[in-house]
Amino acid sequence: MMDAIRIAIVDDHPLFREGVTRSLSEIGGFEMAGEGATAQDAERIVSTMQPDILLLDISMPGGGLAAVASILADHPAQKIVLLTVSEANGDVTKALNAGVRGYVLKGVGSRSLADILRNVAAGESYLSPMLSARLLSDVQSLQPANGVADRLRQLTGRQTEILRLVAEGLSNKEVALRLELQEKTVKHHMTGVLSKLSVRNRTEAALMMREFRDRETDRS
């Protein structure tokens, strides 16, 4: 029997926290490792309880995105999933660039949330399909003159290898470990990737690679 996934939830609405806790408990396979209402609570819970996944809202005292940056600086392996009402592209890109493993909108159903958390615990990443489509549309509108394939052909073999791993949801540190490189080397290559693809950040580059991969899969 698989061990329960230890979840901590930090949200400044107690009723929402209670609802998520109750839903996951009824579904089974989850253990609540702690809860809080502020960015400081999130940092404390991660340090003391070390949950498998931290569920975190963006809008809270201290700021959810600030908490993400602080937590991952000290605990880079911590899996964080943002559960929020914010659909702003800026929040999404900041969160993904910071290293969160999932970005979920609060309208999600309890069983869908449970599936997302199981996948994140298994090492996958998740972005709400609606937000993913919006970001991809934004990327495409930035450079309408050239196709995705033409841009990706500008990358070196190593840059392509790194971008494929980033598109799978790996952080720079995880890419470095996978390819036995220094993290600063991965960052250097990603800087070149962003320049060649004429995109603003790693999220947009990853979406471009995913679009290309999906199109190639459809053709085969």
Side-chain angles (χ1 to χ4, degrees), residues 137-158:
S137 176
D138 191 31
V139 170
Q140 293 171 328
S141 68
L142 290 174
Q143 301 291 341
N146 297 316
V148 170
D150 291 337
R151 296 185 180 283
L152 291 172
R153 289 192 191 100
Q154 301 176 54
L155 304 182
T156 66
R158 178 62 90 182

Side-chain angles (χ1 to χ4, degrees), residues 83-198:
L83 183 56
T84 178
V85 298
S86 176
E87 300 178 16
N89 281 11
D91 285 342
V92 177
T93 54
K94 286 178 184 177
L96 296 179
N97 285 338
V100 303
R101 299 302 183 91
Y103 196 104
V104 186
L105 297 178
K106 281 189 173 180
V108 68
S110 58
R111 294 199 173 275
S112 293
L113 178 60
D115 288 339
I116 291 167
L117 294 177
R118 291 189 193 102
N119 290 336
V120 169
E124 298 181 18
S125 297
Y126 178 85
L127 174 61
S128 169
M130 180 186 71
L131 298 179
S132 180
R134 184 186 300 169
L135 286 178
L136 181 56
S137 176
D138 191 31
V139 170
Q140 293 171 328
S141 68
L142 290 174
Q143 301 291 341
N146 297 316
V148 170
D150 291 337
R151 296 185 180 283
L152 291 172
R153 289 192 191 100
Q154 301 176 54
L155 304 182
T156 66
R158 178 62 90 182
Q159 287 172 337
T160 300
E161 185 178 30
I162 289 172
L163 181 56
R164 282 174 178 159
L165 293 176
V166 169
E168 292 175 10
L170 274 66
S171 67
N172 285 345
K173 183 172 184 178
E174 291 168 328
V175 171
L177 290 172
R178 179 78 64 88
L179 300 180
E180 298 183 344
L181 299 172
Q182 295 292 321
E183 186 175 357
K184 64 181 180 181
T185 301
V186 174
K187 290 180 180 178
H188 173 74
H189 282 303
M190 279 305 299
T191 298
V193 168
L194 301 186
S195 176
K196 289 181 179 180
L197 298 184
S198 299

Side-chain angles (χ1 to χ4, degrees), residues 40-60:
Q40 291 72 26
D41 289 340
E43 295 169 16
R44 173 183 52 77
I45 289 169
V46 168
S47 295
T48 59
M49 304 305 296
Q50 299 177 340
D52 296 320
I53 300 175
L54 172 66
L55 270 175
L56 189 65
D57 193 10
I58 285 181
S59 178
M60 63 168 61

